Amino acid sequence: MTAEEVELIGGRNPVVEALRSGRQLNKIWVAEGVNKKSIGEIMKLAKEAGVVIQTAPKQKLDGMTELTHQGIVASVAAYDYAELDDLFAIAEKRQEDPFFIILDELEDPHNLGSILRTADAAGVHGIIIPKRRSVGLTGIVAKASTGAIEHVPVVRVNNLSQTVDDLKKRNVWIAGTDASNSTDYRHMDATLPLGVIIGSEGKGMSRILREKCDFLYSLPMVGHVTSLNASVAAALLMYEVLRKRQAQATS
């Protein structure tokens, strides 16, 4: 595991999820005037974990972070990135075929947070991102994920192309989205061990990764815009995989 610098997280749900998951919190600041009953679970979990809670003026919290903090800010230990083997181990523990999301140079932290949130709901075993030209795990991502960052492992790799090759050697099929010469995503075989590539907000999926895809799928569009937000496209694909896997399990 490798770690990044200390982060601040704001908001009640992110702080609760950080405490529930056993993350190391250094300190929690509560704005003066906050109803203690409304943060009873945070107070209880913090006491059990031995985390110091300090009351401070709301202006101090406003100055600590640009996040919407709801009167709660916590200093947390660095976010840990998982290893690829960790993702396979999770799939094996759940007795499921691997299902990974691969993000090709996604730069918007809100998109990454939203994808983490959907990934948790859809049963994704982990997310893979590149180290360069990509958003990492930050407080903004944590806030946007509403706590899902604590439950979905993220692997950060030096080279996505090599990682895709490694996945294929481990019998994971690779799917990507492409508007031209591709199959409607509703026809995907989602029951295979699967890695789904989501392209960046501006450029989409890179040529190198597109050429490595075993399958290319398109999202039907009948309006005037030519593409969907990355997190929306990812959500559609994740839930299609979940839907088909659940249907297979009950058939």
Side-chain angles (χ1 to χ4, degrees):
M1 297 272 186
T2 57
E4 299 300 297
E5 68 272 11
V6 170
E7 285 282 352
L8 293 175
I9 57 174
R12 300 181 187 187
N13 284 339
V15 172
V16 165
E17 291 301 331
L19 287 164
R20 284 177 178 169
S21 70
R23 280 283 303 285
Q24 181 185 340
L25 273 66
N26 303 315
K27 184 183 287 189
I28 298 174
W29 291 269
V30 177
E32 293 173 348
V34 168
N35 187 326
K36 295 299 189 291
K37 289 185 178 180
S38 68
I39 58 168
E41 185 172 12
I42 290 176
M43 303 281 283
K44 176 178 177 290
L45 292 171
K47 182 178 180 180
E48 291 173 354
V51 179
V52 173
I53 298 180
Q54 180 178 322
T55 302
K58 180 179 178 296
Q59 291 82 352
K60 178 177 179 178
L61 274 63
D62 293 340
M64 292 170 65
T65 177
E66 295 180 357
L67 299 171
T68 303
H69 52 70
Q70 300 173 303
I72 303 287
V73 172
S75 169
V76 299
Y79 286 104
D80 287 334
Y81 289 93
E83 302 291 340
L84 203 55
D85 286 343
D86 298 330
L87 274 56
F88 281 95
I90 291 170
E92 183 177 0
K93 183 178 180 181
R94 295 184 192 171
Q95 297 183 317
E96 297 169 347
D97 283 322
F99 176 27
F100 310 140
I101 296 295
I102 304 163
L103 302 179
D104 185 11
E105 298 184 7
L106 201 74
E107 297 178 346
D108 187 334
H110 296 95
N111 274 340
L112 178 53
S114 179
I115 288 170
L116 280 163
R117 185 175 183 178
T118 308
D120 178 55
V124 173
H125 301 118
I127 290 175
I128 302 168
I129 64 173
K131 285 185 177 178
R132 298 181 60 194
R133 296 186 295 275
S134 174
V135 64
L137 298 181
T138 67
I140 295 174
V141 172
K143 176 68 175 175
S145 79
T146 63
I149 195 172
E150 309 293 345
H151 306 291
V152 181
V154 177
V155 177
R156 198 161 68 155
V157 300
N158 287 317
N159 188 306
L160 269 186
S161 178
Q162 290 180 3
T163 300
V164 167
D165 288 339
D166 290 342
L167 291 172
K168 295 179 81 164
K169 289 176 183 176
R170 298 176 73 165
N171 300 316
V172 175
W173 297 78
I174 305 299
T177 55
D178 191 342
S180 61
N181 299 319
S182 54
T183 304
D184 188 310
Y185 82 105
R186 290 167 292 188
H187 296 150
M188 78 160 67
D189 185 349
T191 62
L192 299 168
L194 198 60
V196 176
I197 301 174
I198 304 297
S200 67
E201 296 91 350
K203 298 177 294 183
M205 185 169 50
S206 69
R207 176 188 58 82
I208 293 175
L209 291 182
R210 183 183 292 107
E211 291 174 352
K212 291 181 181 293
C213 286
D214 299 298
F215 312 105
L216 289 172
Y217 297 111
S218 61
L219 302 169
M221 303 184 69
V222 297
H224 300 289
V225 297
T226 58
S227 64
L228 293 174
N229 175 280
S231 65
V232 174
L236 288 169
L237 293 165
M238 284 188 270
Y239 266 94
E240 183 65 8
V241 173
L242 176 63
R243 183 181 72 84
K244 289 191 170 173
R245 290 191 172 192
Q246 286 184 332
Q248 181 193 46
T250 56
S251 63

